[in-house]
Amino acid sequence: MNKGTIQTKLTDYNIYNEGEMLIGTNGEVTLPDLEAVTSEISGAGIAGTMEDPTPGYFGSLEIELKFRTVSEESSRLMIPQAHTLTLRAAQTKHDPATGTNSQEGLKVVCRGVPKSYSVGTFKQGESTETTTKLELSYIKITRGSVVVLELDKFNHIFVVEGVDYMKEIRDLI
């Protein structure tokens, strides 16, 4: 019985800043955690209190890029303006019925402003582990041709698997 394919790993990826490939990253990018903005509700009919998420509203979104050394690519991300980064990846899918692997495209587009720049450490014969962090206002994740997630804080857009959960709110305001 074929239960479908199993996503197994990120095979490889590249990072682009405004279309220009970033060279010198150390192979690791930390994408943001999406944590909903909540308010505590309590009162009649509620047994205690609970955190009530506000649909489409999220706390700080941060992306962290690590570079091997202090480079033009890392320092350019500290220019005080919005930067659009695109991560393009191939990820492996395994088909247990046939025992074969195939590749699927994964794309993450995000826009943000510089938040921090860590020069890193100097040690003879070692990389500096320079780190740049951006505060994101926009992120869109596409798997193949499917929009998995799109969040645009300034335009009140929050799409998950093709459904825009902020449309009703945008229409009302």
Side-chain angles (χ1 to χ4, degrees):
M1 179 168 106
N2 186 353
K3 295 183 180 184
T5 58
I6 301 166
Q7 307 287 354
T8 61
K9 63 185 158 205
L10 188 74
T11 311
D12 201 358
Y13 75 100
N14 278 320
I15 308 167
Y16 302 87
N17 179 10
E18 307 292 342
E20 182 180 318
M21 186 163 44
L22 294 179
I23 306 296
T25 60
N26 80 350
E28 185 175 330
V29 174
T30 303
L31 296 169
D33 293 329
L34 277 76
E35 187 173 328
V37 171
T38 62
S39 55
E40 187 176 282
I41 61 171
S42 63
I46 300 172
T49 63
M50 65 177 279
E51 294 292 317
D52 183 31
T54 303
Y57 285 68
F58 293 90
S60 175
L61 301 177
E62 181 180 275
I63 187 170
E64 179 181 84
L65 295 95
K66 293 183 180 178
F67 293 84
R68 284 187 293 277
T69 62
V70 177
S71 64
E72 181 181 350
E73 290 89 352
S74 69
S75 59
R76 195 171 30 216
L77 287 173
M78 283 310 296
I79 295 171
Q81 67 184 35
H83 298 273
T84 301
L85 301 178
T86 302
L87 290 82
R88 291 185 168 277
Q91 62 182 17
T92 304
K93 299 187 315 183
H94 179 74
D95 185 340
T98 64
T100 59
N101 288 338
S102 61
Q103 298 295 313
E104 177 178 55
L106 183 66
K107 180 179 170 183
V108 177
V109 176
C110 53
R111 186 169 30 283
V113 295
K115 187 173 180 178
S116 71
Y117 184 77
S118 173
V119 177
T121 57
F122 277 38
K123 184 174 180 184
Q124 188 176 24
E126 301 285 332
S127 66
T128 60
E129 296 296 322
T130 301
T131 303
T132 301
K133 293 180 184 179
L134 301 178
E135 177 65 28
L136 302 181
S137 62
Y138 178 85
I139 185 167
K140 182 177 183 180
I141 303 169
T142 308
R143 188 187 66 251
S145 61
V146 176
V147 175
V148 175
L149 174 111
E150 182 176 18
L151 174 63
D152 186 337
K153 289 185 169 191
F154 292 129
N155 292 301
H156 287 77
I157 295 171
F158 178 54
V159 176
V160 179
E161 296 288 333
V163 178
D164 187 349
Y165 290 95
M166 294 287 287
K167 182 178 180 348
E168 183 179 9
I169 295 168
R170 277 195 317 274
D171 291 347
L172 292 170
I173 61 173

